[in-house]
Amino acid sequence: MLEGIVDVLTTNWDNCIERGSSDERPSAVVTSQDLSNVTPPSVLKIHGCATQPQSLLVTSNHLAAPPQWVIDETRHRLGATTVAFVGIGDIAGYVKLRIEEALHDVGVIDNIRVVSPGIVSGWASSQWAGLVPDLGAGQRIAATADDFLEQLGRAYVLGVFGDIALEFSDHPKFLAAVKNAQNSITASDALKVVVWARRAAVTPHAGVSVFDSESMTTMLCALGVLLPDGFAVEASGAVRTPEAYWQVLVSSGRTSASRMQREAQNRLSAARTEGREVPKYLVAGGIGWGLGTTLPSDILNEGRGDDVLDGPLNLMPEILRAEEVLA
């Protein structure tokens, strides 16, 4: 969701989706005012949110006459995008009402997908068969919610790698590097890959893809060149081999070189404070490298970093730029 892959509409009142991401928290749309003020991506909570009791649609009268923004947004999604109903094998009455209203107003079902383990084998007796009897066999996906979302995320990751491979189709060295990186990264599940990418980003923006960015493309090529025998991604944004441990940092948007350096220094400081393993830093992107954007750590040039137990010289990260790896 934070990568901008999907929008979420939910009839649930809880805030589990919002709390599911510890670093970046999507906003919830609960009122028409939220719809105007909140920057996507957001969780559209069409029956209200438990954190705002006055917004809850609870009674039959509430559900029969929802706010206009709920009707408009449901119609818009069903009419203009591909909509997957996930985890709704048995349709509660109040959910069925929303779907019936929207389908009646839109009149199109070609963009609907229904995801449920028994939706294929049990189609004839399912509630969906009565609700959308003309739903095609290809629109019924027999999968659990977890399996479907993993497949969706993996398709996104592989799609990005496919686009990069096309860009480098006439550059054998970089194409081979991308393939190396792809083999290593796709050994992990899609959720871990997306979390890895976003935690590698410096100042990411919700709804703007990190994995499909120019800086990440540079990083993926550099990883394939630097670590040709493979590596494992970690949720912290790091990569590991038996011999090396690298923290990956990629710029997000217009990020200065000094900001990238500060991020590496901040993460190094946190690792030392928490007693964690100290990585090297592989950095992609950043504007202004080599322009003297930071002061030297030792202006008298009298110190040696390996002689210092504490202080500024002990907090200088070892940085390698991805662009240098590819030069």
Side-chain angles (χ1 to χ4, degrees):
M1 178 178 177
L2 292 168
E3 274 284 286
I5 307 171
V6 296
D7 290 327
V8 175
L9 279 76
T10 179
T11 57
N12 290 350
W13 295 328
D14 61 68
N15 62 351
C16 292
I17 295 176
E18 299 95 297
R19 292 186 290 109
S21 177
S22 57
D23 296 334
E24 300 177 84
R25 183 163 177 162
S27 301
V29 171
V30 182
T31 67
S32 58
Q33 186 175 4
D34 292 339
L35 201 60
S36 301
N37 296 337
V38 170
T39 301
S42 52
V43 182
L44 280 73
K45 312 187 82 166
I46 61 177
H47 286 167
C49 181
T51 63
Q52 300 181 42
Q54 73 281 2
S55 71
L56 298 178
L57 304 187
V58 180
T59 68
S60 297
N61 288 338
H62 288 159
L63 294 168
Q68 187 61 42
W69 77 267
V70 170
I71 297 172
D72 292 343
E73 287 301 312
T74 306
R75 286 175 181 167
H76 168 66
R77 295 306 195 282
L78 283 174
T81 63
T82 298
V83 177
F85 291 94
V86 182
I88 311 179
D90 294 322
I91 313 171
Y94 59 89
V95 177
K96 184 178 180 181
L97 178 61
R98 288 290 86 76
I99 298 172
E100 285 177 332
E101 290 171 346
L103 290 176
H104 177 269
D105 292 333
V106 174
V108 177
I109 64 170
D110 293 344
N111 58 334
I112 291 176
R113 306 292 184 271
V114 177
V115 181
S116 179
I119 197 64
V120 173
S121 60
W123 172 253
S125 59
S126 72
Q127 292 176 299
W128 285 101
L131 186 60
V132 278
D134 296 327
L135 191 71
Q139 296 168 264
R140 312 168 201 166
I141 302 173
T144 65
D146 286 346
D147 287 343
F148 171 74
L149 294 174
E150 168 62 23
Q151 293 170 25
L152 181 65
R154 182 163 291 273
Y156 167 69
V157 170
L158 292 176
V160 171
F161 274 115
D163 291 342
I164 296 172
L166 286 176
E167 292 181 20
F168 294 137
S169 58
D170 59 348
H171 199 304
K173 176 184 175 181
F174 288 168
L175 182 59
V178 169
K179 293 295 184 182
N180 287 340
Q182 176 178 334
N183 291 338
S184 294
I185 288 172
T186 55
S188 296
D189 63 76
L191 176 60
K192 185 175 183 180
V193 172
V194 172
V195 170
W196 169 79
R198 296 203 68 83
R199 289 184 177 166
V202 178
T203 62
H205 303 284
V208 178
S209 176
V210 172
F211 200 74
D212 195 18
S213 66
E214 182 177 345
S215 293
M216 182 57 80
T217 296
T218 301
M219 177 59 70
L220 295 174
C221 289
L223 286 170
V225 171
L226 185 65
L227 306 172
D229 295 328
F231 55 87
V233 299
E234 298 188 352
S236 62
V239 298
R240 185 183 293 276
T241 73
E243 298 81 23
Y245 180 44
W246 291 89
Q247 173 64 56
V248 169
L249 296 177
V250 297
S251 65
S252 179
R254 297 184 182 90
T255 308
S256 68
S258 60
R259 176 67 183 86
M260 301 296 288
Q261 290 172 315
R262 287 199 306 274
E263 182 68 20
Q265 194 160 358
N266 290 341
R267 296 200 189 196
L268 173 60
S269 177
R272 288 194 181 279
T273 299
E274 297 167 12
R276 292 185 279 110
E277 181 179 0
V278 173
K280 297 178 182 179
Y281 292 83
L282 185 62
V283 178
I287 302 169
W289 288 98
L291 298 181
T293 52
T294 59
L295 290 173
S297 58
D298 179 14
I299 60 175
L300 298 178
N301 197 29
E302 294 180 352
R304 289 179 53 202
D306 53 2
D307 289 336
V308 179
L309 298 179
D310 198 6
L313 283 179
N314 198 39
L315 292 176
M316 295 305 296
E318 185 176 343
I319 294 176
L320 175 63
R321 293 181 59 216
E323 291 81 358
E324 294 173 346
V325 175
L326 301 177

PDB file of all heavy atoms in Angstrom, residues 250-282:
ATOM      1  N   VAL A 250      19.018   4.334  -0.212  1.00  0.00           N
ATOM      2  CA  VAL A 250      18.679   4.903  -1.518  1.00  0.00           C
ATOM      3  C   VAL A 250      17.946   6.218  -1.304  1.00  0.00           C
ATOM      4  O   VAL A 250      17.142   6.360  -0.382  1.00  0.00           O
ATOM      5  CB  VAL A 250      17.818   3.936  -2.364  1.00  0.00           C
ATOM      6  CG1 VAL A 250      18.581   2.672  -2.683  1.00  0.00           C
ATOM      7  CG2 VAL A 250      16.514   3.594  -1.666  1.00  0.00           C
ATOM      8  N   SER A 251      18.240   7.177  -2.157  1.00  0.00           N
ATOM      9  CA  SER A 251      17.586   8.479  -2.032  1.00  0.00           C
ATOM     10  C   SER A 251      16.149   8.382  -2.519  1.00  0.00           C
ATOM     11  O   SER A 251      15.821   7.589  -3.397  1.00  0.00           O
ATOM     12  CB  SER A 251      18.342   9.540  -2.832  1.00  0.00           C
ATOM     13  OG  SER A 251      18.285   9.250  -4.217  1.00  0.00           O
ATOM     14  N   SER A 252      15.308   9.188  -1.932  1.00  0.00           N
ATOM     15  CA  SER A 252      13.905   9.238  -2.327  1.00  0.00           C
ATOM     16  C   SER A 252      13.594  10.671  -2.731  1.00  0.00           C
ATOM     17  O   SER A 252      13.542  11.568  -1.896  1.00  0.00           O
ATOM     18  CB  SER A 252      13.011   8.803  -1.165  1.00  0.00           C
ATOM     19  OG  SER A 252      11.657   8.863  -1.512  1.00  0.00           O
ATOM     20  N   GLY A 253      13.445  10.892  -4.028  1.00  0.00           N
ATOM     21  CA  GLY A 253      13.207  12.249  -4.495  1.00  0.00           C
ATOM     22  C   GLY A 253      14.484  13.069  -4.492  1.00  0.00           C
ATOM     23  O   GLY A 253      15.586  12.554  -4.659  1.00  0.00           O
ATOM     24  N   ARG A 254      14.336  14.356  -4.256  1.00  0.00           N
ATOM     25  CA  ARG A 254      15.480  15.273  -4.276  1.00  0.00           C
ATOM     26  C   ARG A 254      16.155  15.270  -2.907  1.00  0.00           C
ATOM     27  O   ARG A 254      15.829  16.070  -2.034  1.00  0.00           O
ATOM     28  CB  ARG A 254      15.016  16.683  -4.649  1.00  0.00           C
ATOM     29  CG  ARG A 254      14.416  16.788  -6.038  1.00  0.00           C
ATOM     30  CD  ARG A 254      14.072  18.238  -6.362  1.00  0.00           C
ATOM     31  NE  ARG A 254      13.451  18.367  -7.669  1.00  0.00           N
ATOM     32  CZ  ARG A 254      12.144  18.309  -7.887  1.00  0.00           C
ATOM     33  NH1 ARG A 254      11.319  18.128  -6.860  1.00  0.00           N
ATOM     34  NH2 ARG A 254      11.653  18.435  -9.095  1.00  0.00           N
ATOM     35  N   THR A 255      17.101  14.380  -2.741  1.00  0.00           N
ATOM     36  CA  THR A 255      17.804  14.236  -1.467  1.00  0.00           C
ATOM     37  C   THR A 255      19.252  14.647  -1.655  1.00  0.00           C
ATOM     38  O   THR A 255      19.904  14.216  -2.606  1.00  0.00           O
ATOM     39  CB  THR A 255      17.741  12.777  -0.976  1.00  0.00           C
ATOM     40  OG1 THR A 255      16.383  12.329  -0.986  1.00  0.00           O
ATOM     41  CG2 THR A 255      18.299  12.656   0.428  1.00  0.00           C
ATOM     42  N   SER A 256      19.757  15.478  -0.766  1.00  0.00           N
ATOM     43  CA  SER A 256      21.137  15.948  -0.894  1.00  0.00           C
ATOM     44  C   SER A 256      22.116  14.875  -0.441  1.00  0.00           C
ATOM     45  O   SER A 256      21.784  13.977   0.339  1.00  0.00           O
ATOM     46  CB  SER A 256      21.343  17.214  -0.062  1.00  0.00           C
ATOM     47  OG  SER A 256      21.254  16.914   1.324  1.00  0.00           O
ATOM     48  N   ALA A 257      23.350  14.995  -0.927  1.00  0.00           N
ATOM     49  CA  ALA A 257      24.401  14.073  -0.505  1.00  0.00           C
ATOM     50  C   ALA A 257      24.649  14.184   0.994  1.00  0.00           C
ATOM     51  O   ALA A 257      24.878  13.178   1.671  1.00  0.00           O
ATOM     52  CB  ALA A 257      25.683  14.363  -1.282  1.00  0.00           C
ATOM     53  N   SER A 258      24.595  15.402   1.522  1.00  0.00           N
ATOM     54  CA  SER A 258      24.828  15.569   2.962  1.00  0.00           C
ATOM     55  C   SER A 258      23.738  14.887   3.772  1.00  0.00           C
ATOM     56  O   SER A 258      24.002  14.334   4.848  1.00  0.00           O
ATOM     57  CB  SER A 258      24.913  17.053   3.321  1.00  0.00           C
ATOM     58  OG  SER A 258      23.713  17.729   2.999  1.00  0.00           O
ATOM     59  N   ARG A 259      22.499  14.889   3.252  1.00  0.00           N
ATOM     60  CA  ARG A 259      21.410  14.189   3.949  1.00  0.00           C
ATOM     61  C   ARG A 259      21.650  12.679   3.934  1.00  0.00           C
ATOM     62  O   ARG A 259      21.392  11.991   4.934  1.00  0.00           O
ATOM     63  CB  ARG A 259      20.067  14.512   3.288  1.00  0.00           C
ATOM     64  CG  ARG A 259      18.876  13.759   3.884  1.00  0.00           C
ATOM     65  CD  ARG A 259      18.605  14.209   5.311  1.00  0.00           C
ATOM     66  NE  ARG A 259      17.531  13.461   5.922  1.00  0.00           N
ATOM     67  CZ  ARG A 259      17.685  12.292   6.553  1.00  0.00           C
ATOM     68  NH1 ARG A 259      18.906  11.752   6.662  1.00  0.00           N
ATOM     69  NH2 ARG A 259      16.653  11.672   7.084  1.00  0.00           N
ATOM     70  N   MET A 260      22.154  12.155   2.836  1.00  0.00           N
ATOM     71  CA  MET A 260      22.471  10.731   2.759  1.00  0.00           C
ATOM     72  C   MET A 260      23.589  10.384   3.737  1.00  0.00           C
ATOM     73  O   MET A 260      23.546   9.352   4.421  1.00  0.00           O
ATOM     74  CB  MET A 260      22.878  10.359   1.333  1.00  0.00           C
ATOM     75  CG  MET A 260      21.824  10.633   0.265  1.00  0.00           C
ATOM     76  SD  MET A 260      20.315   9.656   0.461  1.00  0.00           S
ATOM     77  CE  MET A 260      20.907   8.033  -0.023  1.00  0.00           C
ATOM     78  N   GLN A 261      24.592  11.254   3.836  1.00  0.00           N
ATOM     79  CA  GLN A 261      25.687  11.020   4.777  1.00  0.00           C
ATOM     80  C   GLN A 261      25.194  11.046   6.220  1.00  0.00           C
ATOM     81  O   GLN A 261      25.598  10.221   7.044  1.00  0.00           O
ATOM     82  CB  GLN A 261      26.773  12.078   4.573  1.00  0.00           C
ATOM     83  CG  GLN A 261      27.535  11.929   3.261  1.00  0.00           C
ATOM     84  CD  GLN A 261      28.460  13.102   3.005  1.00  0.00           C
ATOM     85  OE1 GLN A 261      28.084  14.263   3.183  1.00  0.00           O
ATOM     86  NE2 GLN A 261      29.676  12.808   2.582  1.00  0.00           N
ATOM     87  N   ARG A 262      24.316  12.000   6.524  1.00  0.00           N
ATOM     88  CA  ARG A 262      23.780  12.083   7.888  1.00  0.00           C
ATOM     89  C   ARG A 262      22.967  10.841   8.230  1.00  0.00           C
ATOM     90  O   ARG A 262      23.011  10.352   9.361  1.00  0.00           O
ATOM     91  CB  ARG A 262      22.911  13.332   8.052  1.00  0.00           C
ATOM     92  CG  ARG A 262      23.675  14.629   8.100  1.00  0.00           C
ATOM     93  CD  ARG A 262      22.837  15.748   8.704  1.00  0.00           C
ATOM     94  NE  ARG A 262      21.556  15.913   8.038  1.00  0.00           N
ATOM     95  CZ  ARG A 262      21.375  16.657   6.947  1.00  0.00           C
ATOM     96  NH1 ARG A 262      22.401  17.278   6.392  1.00  0.00           N
ATOM     97  NH2 ARG A 262      20.175  16.781   6.407  1.00  0.00           N
ATOM     98  N   GLU A 263      22.225  10.327   7.248  1.00  0.00           N
ATOM     99  CA  GLU A 263      21.433   9.125   7.500  1.00  0.00           C
ATOM    100  C   GLU A 263      22.343   7.948   7.834  1.00  0.00           C
ATOM    101  O   GLU A 263      22.066   7.177   8.764  1.00  0.00           O
ATOM    102  CB  GLU A 263      20.577   8.795   6.279  1.00  0.00           C
ATOM    103  CG  GLU A 263      19.670   7.593   6.455  1.00  0.00           C
ATOM    104  CD  GLU A 263      18.555   7.828   7.454  1.00  0.00           C
ATOM    105  OE1 GLU A 263      18.237   9.009   7.741  1.00  0.00           O
ATOM    106  OE2 GLU A 263      17.991   6.823   7.956  1.00  0.00           O
ATOM    107  N   ALA A 264      23.430   7.809   7.087  1.00  0.00           N
ATOM    108  CA  ALA A 264      24.382   6.736   7.378  1.00  0.00           C
ATOM    109  C   ALA A 264      24.976   6.917   8.770  1.00  0.00           C
ATOM    110  O   ALA A 264      25.112   5.954   9.540  1.00  0.00           O
ATOM    111  CB  ALA A 264      25.484   6.716   6.321  1.00  0.00           C
ATOM    112  N   GLN A 265      25.305   8.150   9.117  1.00  0.00           N
ATOM    113  CA  GLN A 265      25.891   8.412  10.430  1.00  0.00           C
ATOM    114  C   GLN A 265      24.882   8.147  11.545  1.00  0.00           C
ATOM    115  O   GLN A 265      25.227   7.565  12.585  1.00  0.00           O
ATOM    116  CB  GLN A 265      26.384   9.857  10.494  1.00  0.00           C
ATOM    117  CG  GLN A 265      27.310  10.128  11.669  1.00  0.00           C
ATOM    118  CD  GLN A 265      28.149  11.378  11.456  1.00  0.00           C
ATOM    119  OE1 GLN A 265      28.069  12.024  10.422  1.00  0.00           O
ATOM    120  NE2 GLN A 265      28.964  11.705  12.441  1.00  0.00           N
ATOM    121  N   ASN A 266      23.631   8.537  11.331  1.00  0.00           N
ATOM    122  CA  ASN A 266      22.596   8.297  12.342  1.00  0.00           C
ATOM    123  C   ASN A 266      22.376   6.804  12.561  1.00  0.00           C
ATOM    124  O   ASN A 266      22.216   6.338  13.695  1.00  0.00           O
ATOM    125  CB  ASN A 266      21.284   8.954  11.920  1.00  0.00           C
ATOM    126  CG  ASN A 266      21.342  10.470  11.973  1.00  0.00           C
ATOM    127  OD1 ASN A 266      22.209  11.038  12.634  1.00  0.00           O
ATOM    128  ND2 ASN A 266      20.434  11.129  11.271  1.00  0.00           N
ATOM    129  N   ARG A 267      22.360   6.050  11.471  1.00  0.00           N
ATOM    130  CA  ARG A 267      22.137   4.609  11.604  1.00  0.00           C
ATOM    131  C   ARG A 267      23.345   3.928  12.248  1.00  0.00           C
ATOM    132  O   ARG A 267      23.189   2.968  13.006  1.00  0.00           O
ATOM    133  CB  ARG A 267      21.815   3.997  10.243  1.00  0.00           C
ATOM    134  CG  ARG A 267      20.510   4.513   9.651  1.00  0.00           C
ATOM    135  CD  ARG A 267      19.962   3.596   8.594  1.00  0.00           C
ATOM    136  NE  ARG A 267      18.829   4.190   7.888  1.00  0.00           N
ATOM    137  CZ  ARG A 267      17.983   3.507   7.136  1.00  0.00           C
ATOM    138  NH1 ARG A 267      18.138   2.198   6.974  1.00  0.00           N
ATOM    139  NH2 ARG A 267      16.983   4.111   6.516  1.00  0.00           N
ATOM    140  N   LEU A 268      24.532   4.421  11.942  1.00  0.00           N
ATOM    141  CA  LEU A 268      25.725   3.883  12.591  1.00  0.00           C
ATOM    142  C   LEU A 268      25.688   4.149  14.087  1.00  0.00           C
ATOM    143  O   LEU A 268      25.976   3.263  14.902  1.00  0.00           O
ATOM    144  CB  LEU A 268      26.976   4.504  11.974  1.00  0.00           C
ATOM    145  CG  LEU A 268      28.307   4.179  12.659  1.00  0.00           C
ATOM    146  CD1 LEU A 268      28.568   2.677  12.654  1.00  0.00           C
ATOM    147  CD2 LEU A 268      29.451   4.929  11.984  1.00  0.00           C
ATOM    148  N   SER A 269      25.313   5.367  14.459  1.00  0.00           N
ATOM    149  CA  SER A 269      25.228   5.723  15.877  1.00  0.00           C
ATOM    150  C   SER A 269      24.222   4.837  16.598  1.00  0.00           C
ATOM    151  O   SER A 269      24.481   4.348  17.706  1.00  0.00           O
ATOM    152  CB  SER A 269      24.835   7.195  16.014  1.00  0.00           C
ATOM    153  OG  SER A 269      24.680   7.554  17.373  1.00  0.00           O
ATOM    154  N   ALA A 270      23.064   4.596  15.959  1.00  0.00           N
ATOM    155  CA  ALA A 270      22.044   3.746  16.575  1.00  0.00           C
ATOM    156  C   ALA A 270      22.547   2.317  16.738  1.00  0.00           C
ATOM    157  O   ALA A 270      22.308   1.673  17.764  1.00  0.00           O
ATOM    158  CB  ALA A 270      20.778   3.767  15.723  1.00  0.00           C
ATOM    159  N   ALA A 271      23.265   1.815  15.733  1.00  0.00           N
ATOM    160  CA  ALA A 271      23.787   0.449  15.814  1.00  0.00           C
ATOM    161  C   ALA A 271      24.778   0.317  16.965  1.00  0.00           C
ATOM    162  O   ALA A 271      24.746  -0.659  17.724  1.00  0.00           O
ATOM    163  CB  ALA A 271      24.446   0.067  14.491  1.00  0.00           C
ATOM    164  N   ARG A 272      25.655   1.298  17.115  1.00  0.00           N
ATOM    165  CA  ARG A 272      26.638   1.240  18.203  1.00  0.00           C
ATOM    166  C   ARG A 272      25.952   1.362  19.561  1.00  0.00           C
ATOM    167  O   ARG A 272      26.277   0.646  20.509  1.00  0.00           O
ATOM    168  CB  ARG A 272      27.675   2.349  18.026  1.00  0.00           C
ATOM    169  CG  ARG A 272      28.644   2.121  16.871  1.00  0.00           C
ATOM    170  CD  ARG A 272      29.819   3.073  16.970  1.00  0.00           C
ATOM    171  NE  ARG A 272      30.760   2.911  15.877  1.00  0.00           N
ATOM    172  CZ  ARG A 272      31.691   1.972  15.811  1.00  0.00           C
ATOM    173  NH1 ARG A 272      31.791   1.074  16.783  1.00  0.00           N
ATOM    174  NH2 ARG A 272      32.521   1.915  14.786  1.00  0.00           N
ATOM    175  N   THR A 273      24.994   2.272  19.665  1.00  0.00           N
ATOM    176  CA  THR A 273      24.299   2.477  20.937  1.00  0.00           C
ATOM    177  C   THR A 273      23.555   1.223  21.373  1.00  0.00           C
ATOM    178  O   THR A 273      23.524   0.878  22.558  1.00  0.00           O
ATOM    179  CB  THR A 273      23.310   3.651  20.808  1.00  0.00           C
ATOM    180  OG1 THR A 273      24.034   4.841  20.482  1.00  0.00           O
ATOM    181  CG2 THR A 273      22.545   3.863  22.103  1.00  0.00           C
ATOM    182  N   GLU A 274      22.955   0.525  20.399  1.00  0.00           N
ATOM    183  CA  GLU A 274      22.152  -0.658  20.705  1.00  0.00           C
ATOM    184  C   GLU A 274      22.973  -1.940  20.708  1.00  0.00           C
ATOM    185  O   GLU A 274      22.426  -3.028  20.918  1.00  0.00           O
ATOM    186  CB  GLU A 274      21.013  -0.766  19.690  1.00  0.00           C
ATOM    187  CG  GLU A 274      20.044   0.411  19.762  1.00  0.00           C
ATOM    188  CD  GLU A 274      19.111   0.477  18.563  1.00  0.00           C
ATOM    189  OE1 GLU A 274      19.066  -0.517  17.796  1.00  0.00           O
ATOM    190  OE2 GLU A 274      18.443   1.506  18.392  1.00  0.00           O
ATOM    191  N   GLY A 275      24.274  -1.820  20.474  1.00  0.00           N
ATOM    192  CA  GLY A 275      25.137  -2.994  20.511  1.00  0.00           C
ATOM    193  C   GLY A 275      24.954  -3.933  19.337  1.00  0.00           C
ATOM    194  O   GLY A 275      25.250  -5.128  19.439  1.00  0.00           O
ATOM    195  N   ARG A 276      24.474  -3.390  18.200  1.00  0.00           N
ATOM    196  CA  ARG A 276      24.271  -4.228  17.020  1.00  0.00           C
ATOM    197  C   ARG A 276      25.513  -4.238  16.134  1.00  0.00           C
ATOM    198  O   ARG A 276      26.398  -3.395  16.266  1.00  0.00           O
ATOM    199  CB  ARG A 276      23.070  -3.717  16.213  1.00  0.00           C
ATOM    200  CG  ARG A 276      21.741  -3.893  16.922  1.00  0.00           C
ATOM    201  CD  ARG A 276      20.573  -3.493  16.023  1.00  0.00           C
ATOM    202  NE  ARG A 276      20.364  -2.047  15.997  1.00  0.00           N
ATOM    203  CZ  ARG A 276      20.602  -1.268  14.951  1.00  0.00           C
ATOM    204  NH1 ARG A 276      21.099  -1.788  13.832  1.00  0.00           N
ATOM    205  NH2 ARG A 276      20.360   0.037  15.005  1.00  0.00           N
ATOM    206  N   GLU A 277      25.536  -5.189  15.237  1.00  0.00           N
ATOM    207  CA  GLU A 277      26.634  -5.289  14.289  1.00  0.00           C
ATOM    208  C   GLU A 277      26.697  -4.022  13.437  1.00  0.00           C
ATOM    209  O   GLU A 277      25.673  -3.499  12.993  1.00  0.00           O
ATOM    210  CB  GLU A 277      26.428  -6.512  13.394  1.00  0.00           C
ATOM    211  CG  GLU A 277      27.525  -6.745  12.376  1.00  0.00           C
ATOM    212  CD  GLU A 277      27.269  -7.984  11.535  1.00  0.00           C
ATOM    213  OE1 GLU A 277      26.229  -8.648  11.757  1.00  0.00           O
ATOM    214  OE2 GLU A 277      28.105  -8.286  10.663  1.00  0.00           O
ATOM    215  N   VAL A 278      27.900  -3.535  13.201  1.00  0.00           N
ATOM    216  CA  VAL A 278      28.089  -2.307  12.425  1.00  0.00           C
ATOM    217  C   VAL A 278      28.327  -2.667  10.963  1.00  0.00           C
ATOM    218  O   VAL A 278      29.268  -3.396  10.645  1.00  0.00           O
ATOM    219  CB  VAL A 278      29.276  -1.494  12.968  1.00  0.00           C
ATOM    220  CG1 VAL A 278      29.582  -0.316  12.053  1.00  0.00           C
ATOM    221  CG2 VAL A 278      28.972  -1.005  14.382  1.00  0.00           C
ATOM    222  N   PRO A 279      27.488  -2.159  10.067  1.00  0.00           N
ATOM    223  CA  PRO A 279      27.659  -2.480   8.650  1.00  0.00           C
ATOM    224  C   PRO A 279      28.511  -1.437   7.923  1.00  0.00           C
ATOM    225  O   PRO A 279      28.814  -0.370   8.457  1.00  0.00           O
ATOM    226  CB  PRO A 279      26.224  -2.423   8.129  1.00  0.00           C
ATOM    227  CG  PRO A 279      25.611  -1.310   8.943  1.00  0.00           C
ATOM    228  CD  PRO A 279      26.256  -1.394  10.310  1.00  0.00           C
ATOM    229  N   LYS A 280      28.863  -1.766   6.698  1.00  0.00           N
ATOM    230  CA  LYS A 280      29.299  -0.755   5.749  1.00  0.00           C
ATOM    231  C   LYS A 280      28.044  -0.216   5.061  1.00  0.00           C
ATOM    232  O   LYS A 280      26.978  -0.821   5.141  1.00  0.00           O
ATOM    233  CB  LYS A 280      30.251  -1.359   4.720  1.00  0.00           C
ATOM    234  CG  LYS A 280      31.542  -1.907   5.313  1.00  0.00           C
ATOM    235  CD  LYS A 280      32.408  -2.526   4.222  1.00  0.00           C
ATOM    236  CE  LYS A 280      33.683  -3.110   4.805  1.00  0.00           C
ATOM    237  NZ  LYS A 280      34.529  -3.754   3.752  1.00  0.00           N
ATOM    238  N   TYR A 281      28.179   0.907   4.368  1.00  0.00           N
ATOM    239  CA  TYR A 281      27.014   1.559   3.778  1.00  0.00           C
ATOM    240  C   TYR A 281      27.181   1.666   2.269  1.00  0.00           C
ATOM    241  O   TYR A 281      28.167   2.230   1.782  1.00  0.00           O
ATOM    242  CB  TYR A 281      26.796   2.941   4.404  1.00  0.00           C
ATOM    243  CG  TYR A 281      26.386   2.828   5.850  1.00  0.00           C
ATOM    244  CD1 TYR A 281      27.341   2.671   6.846  1.00  0.00           C
ATOM    245  CD2 TYR A 281      25.046   2.806   6.212  1.00  0.00           C
ATOM    246  CE1 TYR A 281      26.968   2.511   8.176  1.00  0.00           C
ATOM    247  CE2 TYR A 281      24.668   2.652   7.540  1.00  0.00           C
ATOM    248  CZ  TYR A 281      25.631   2.503   8.511  1.00  0.00           C
ATOM    249  OH  TYR A 281      25.260   2.333   9.817  1.00  0.00           O
ATOM    250  N   LEU A 282      26.213   1.104   1.558  1.00  0.00           N
ATOM    251  CA  LEU A 282      26.162   1.210   0.103  1.00  0.00           C
ATOM    252  C   LEU A 282      25.038   2.182  -0.226  1.00  0.00           C
ATOM    253  O   LEU A 282      23.877   1.942   0.115  1.00  0.00           O
ATOM    254  CB  LEU A 282      25.902  -0.157  -0.528  1.00  0.00           C
ATOM    255  CG  LEU A 282      25.933  -0.216  -2.057  1.00  0.00           C
ATOM    256  CD1 LEU A 282      27.315   0.167  -2.589  1.00  0.00           C
ATOM    257  CD2 LEU A 282      25.558  -1.614  -2.549  1.00  0.00           C
TER     258      LEU A 282
END
